[in-house]
Amino acid sequence: MLSSSGHHDATRIGQENVAEKRRLTIISIVVVAILTIIVAGVTIWATYLIRGWDGVIEDDGVKTYPYRLPDTILPRHYDIEIEALLDGATTFNGVVSIRLEVTTETNVVELSAEEMQFVAIIKATEDQKKQHAKNGVLPAVDGKLAGISIKSEKTSSEVVLSGFSTAVLEKYRKIQVHTKNNLEKGAFYILRIEYQAPIRTDMRGFYSSKAADGSTVLSTQFESEDGRAAIPLFDEPKFKATYQMTITTKLKDEKTRVLFNTDEIERTNLPDGRVKVKFDKTPLMSTYLIAFIIGQYDYIEKTDGKIRHRIYTPVGKSEQGRAALEASIKVTKFFQDLYQVEYPINKMDHISIPSFASGAMENFGLITYRETYIIFDNATASQLDKENGIEVVSHEISHQFNGNIITCAFWTHLWLNEGFATFMETYALDKTYPDWKRGLKKLTNSVIYAADADSVPSADPIVRLYDKIQSKDEIDSLFNSITYDKGGAVLSMFFNYLGEDKFVQWIRSYFAKYKNQNAETKQLLELLPVQNVQETATNFGTWLHQPGMPIVQVNENADGTISLSQNRFFSYANATQVDQFKNSTWWIPLTYVTSADGDVKKVEMSSKVPSLKITDKVYKFNYHKTGFYRVNYSTKMWKNLIAKIEDFDTEDRFDLFNDIFSIATSTVENIDSSLMFEMLLALKNDDTSILWENMYQSILKLHQLLAAESVSNSFSRMVKDLVKNKYESIGWTNVPGADEDEENLDELRPFVLNLACRFGLTECVTEAFKRYQERNSTIIPPILRNAVYRAVVSNGGEREYYQILNQFKAEQDSVERTKLMYALAYTQQIPLLQTTLDLALSPHVKPQDSIFLIREVARNVPSGPNVAWNFVRTRYDAILSKCGQDQVSNRLVYGVGSLFTNIFERDELIQFFAPNIEKLSMKHYSNTLEAIEKNAKFLSKHLPAINTYLTEKYPPQTL
Ligand SMILES: [Zn+2]
C-alpha cells in the first residue's frame, strides 16, 4: 500500500508518522540466549546480543496472543458469494464456504469478522437471542445454527455444532464456531457462513464512493485488517489460501464493470434482471490482497506475453491512462526478469477509485489508486506529476512480487513488503525510465523523511516484536516512514555495499526459496551471498533491529590523521533519553573521498569498536550519500566544505546541506547555527532542482518555527536575498537553445518562484498576477500552476480568492483540482482561511482530501496553526463524521498539532483530547506532543544565536 499522497506533496513538512514511544524491555542475556536456542535452534542469532542494543530476537516463540488467530486450523480455499447493488443500498449479502485443514484437534473454529449481521443471530429464537445478548454465545438447537454449518469433507456429513460466539468480536474482531465433538487432526472440513454486512462509507472494507459524474462505485480496501468487515476470514497475512468469487449485481448500462482479482469466467443473466458473475480461482494469497469492485468505467488495454494490462478510468477518460498502461507493461517485465518469478495471474488491472484513503493498494491483479496517480491529462499534468504517479504504479507492481508472492509473516515484518517496494519502485524506474533520474529524487525526499522520523527518541526499529503489535491501531501505525522510507534507505545502503550483482543474486535466492510463502526478516538475511553470512547478517541487523540512525563525529588530530566516533543522532531528546541510548552503535559501511574528484575509499566502522582512525586526508565522507548516517565535521572543516561546496557532485552538495541543516537545528548537537545560513547562502547559485527543493523545504520549516519571533523579518529578508539572483537568472520560461538542461530548469523553477513569491519579491508577484489574468489566451504550463495559483491567492484579495475557488468548483480534472484546492490555503486573510476550512467539510472536497486541506491551512504562516486548531476544536464532530476516526487519529492530530511551538499550546491540545483519548492512535498522539516539545526546545536553544546572526546581517526593516 502507498500510505498517503503526502509522499508526493512538495510542501510536505516533517513526518506524519514518526515512531512511537516504546522502549524495549531489557531482557537478561541468559534468558534471551536460552530463548534463542529454543526458537532458532541454532546460535547464530546470539550474535545479536553483542553490545549496543537490547538483544531481542524477532520471533519470541510465543504464537498465541489473544489478538492473533490460533494455528490449530488452516484455511486452504474460500468460495465467496457476494450480492451487492449499486442502487444506494446500505448493506450487502454474503455467503462464504471455507475449506479448513485441522492441524491440532479442537472444538473451536476461530476467525475474524467485524460488524456483521449473522443469519444465525437474525433467525435465532427469542430465548437464544436473550442468551446471546447476555454472554455473546448463541447455543445451537439440535446441533444446528441457521446459516452456519461445518461439513466433513471425507464423509460429507454435518458436524454437530454446540454454539456460536460473538463474545470475542468486539475486542479482537473475531468470532468462534463451537462443535460438540472435536474436529479431527489432519482432516478437512467445509465451514459455511451466511451473513449480511454494511456497505461502508469510511473508505475501508467494502465501501461506496461517488464518482465525479454522480455514479456510485463499490470497491474494497482490506489492508491491513479490514477484509473482516466484508467477509468472515482468517485475516492474517500468514493464512494464505486460494479464493473463488461470485458476484451478483444489477448492471446499470454496458459500462458497468464487475471486477475481482482474477478474470471473469462465467456470466449468468438471472430472470429478475440481475447478473451473476463468476471469477477464476486466485493463486495462493493473503486475505488483505482480495479486491472486488462494481462501478462504471472505461478502459484501455494491451496484452504483453501472457498478461493483459488494463487501465480502468472514469467514463470518457480512458485515453488519459496511456502513460500508466505503458509503464505497467515495462515495469512488470522488469520485475519478472529481476525476480525470475512468473507473475501468476493472466491480467494486471489498474483502476481509479473516487474516494481512497491511502495512495494506492496492491490487490493481486486488481490494483486500486487515487485518480491522480494513473490518469493524466496532458493539458493539466506536468511531466513531474506523471513521474510521481508512475512511481506509485511501479511501487504497486513491485508488490505483486514482494508482498503478494512472498508476504511478510506478520505485520511486524511489514518492511519486507513496504521497505522493499520503496526501494524497488525507484530502482525499476531508473532501469525503465533512466532519463527521469528518480534515484536522485528519492535521496532528496524519501531518505530525508526516513532520517527525520528516525531522529526522535520515540522512533521504533524497522523490525518489530510480535508482542508489541497487538491491536489494529498498532498494526495501522506500522504503515509509517520507518517501515517505508527507512526500510527503503537501508536496503539501498545494503545494495551499495553488496554491489548490484550480489544484491540481485540475494533477492533471486529469496524468491526461489520463499515464493508463495511468508517470510520473516531473518530468513532473508540467512540467504546473503557473502563469505560470512552470520557476521554480515549481524551487521545488517544493527539497522533493522534497533531504532535510530548514527551520526559519525569527525575529529582532526594534531598529526593530521582523523578520528571517528559514532553515536545516535537526535533532532530532539532530553538528557535522560540521550543517556538511555548512549551505547547504541551501528556497523557503518563508510565511504569517503580524498579530493572532490578523487577515488572513493571504503572502510567499515564496527558496531563493537567505538572509534576508528584514518590516516588519509579526507575531503568528504558518505560519498553520494549512499549510507544512512549523518556526518559532523569540526567547525574548521565545515567552513572549508562550505567554501568549496560548488566543487561537489549534486548528491554530495545535497548531503552536506542536509547534514548541516539537521545538525544545526538539533536540540542535542552543538554546532554554530550560523553555519547553516552560510551554507544556504553559498548555494544561492546552485542550478539543480533537488538542492532548491530541499532549500525550499528547510526554509519553510524555519519560517514556521520563527513565525512568532521578532527575527522573522530578518529571516524573510535573508530568503529574498538568497532567491533574488536565481529568480532573475532563470525567470519564468526557458530561453530556447540558451538553456542546456531545460528539464532540470522546468523542475527547479517552481521552487524558486514559490520562494520568491511567498517572500514577497515584487517582480515575481506581479508576473504571477499577469500570467493568471492572461491564462485564457496564454496557457500556464502545468508545472508552474502551483506557483501561480498560490502567489495569486497569497498576495491577492477576495476577488482572486473567489476566482480560484470557483475555478476549483467547476474543474473536473483531479490533478488540476488538487492544485487549485491547495492554493486556497495560502490566503493571508483570516476570514478567507476560514472559508477554506469550511470548504474542507463541504461536498466539494472528497473525504480523502479534507484532512490534507486542513493541514495545508495549518502550515500557513503566521496564522495557520491557530486558525486550523480553532476549526478542529469547534468542528471536531463534523470532521470525524466526514473523514472517519482513522484519518483523524492518523493524520489530523499530528498534522495540525505538530506545528505548535510552545508548551501552552501543547497543554491546550492535551486538554481538548483528554475526553476522547482512548479513540486516538496513541502513537500519533504521543508523537504530536513530542513534536511540540521539540519545536519549543529548538527555540529556547537556538533562537538567541539565530537572532544575533540574522539581525546583524539583515537588520529588520519596515516591509
Ligand atoms: Zn506499498
Side-chain angles (χ1 to χ4, degrees), residues 50 110 151 259 268 487 516 574 612 616 641 748 757 882 912:
I50 291 159
E110 190 168 291
K151 239 183 204 168
L259 303 170
T268 318
N516 302 324
N574 59 38
L612 182 71
D616 277 331
L641 288 163
L748 182 163
C757 286
K882 177 163 185 183
F912 177 75

Side-chain angles (χ1 to χ4, degrees), residues 851-870:
I851 288 186
F852 288 103
L853 183 57
I854 298 170
R855 279 186 357 181
E856 198 68 11
V857 169
R859 290 170 184 173
N860 186 310
V861 174
S863 359
N866 282 326
V867 175
W869 174 234
N870 280 333

Side-chain angles (χ1 to χ4, degrees), residues 442-512:
K442 174 68 120 266
L443 203 56
T444 64
N445 49 64
S446 180
V447 176
I448 41 179
Y449 301 151
D452 281 350
D454 214 15
S455 302
V456 287
S458 65
D460 286 310
I462 290 177
V463 181
R464 305 293 303 280
L465 296 175
Y466 285 105
D467 70 342
K468 300 291 179 204
I469 305 299
Q470 289 294 314
S471 69
K472 176 173 156 54
D473 178 31
E474 283 168 343
I475 290 169
D476 286 347
S477 73
L478 295 172
F479 290 79
N480 63 22
S481 200
I482 295 293
T483 304
Y484 282 73
D485 298 319
K486 186 182 176 186
V490 302
L491 212 49
S492 170
M493 180 168 63
F494 300 162
F495 175 95
N496 284 303
Y497 171 74
L498 293 169
E500 184 167 17
D501 289 351
K502 275 207 169 147
F503 183 84
V504 170
Q505 190 190 336
W506 183 30
I507 301 310
R508 282 182 182 163
S509 63
Y510 174 61
F511 267 82

Side-chain angles (χ1 to χ4, degrees), residues 1-2 362 395 399 418 421 484:
M1 176 158 63
L2 190 83
E362 67 266 24
H395 178 104
H399 272 316
E418 299 300 352
Y484 282 73

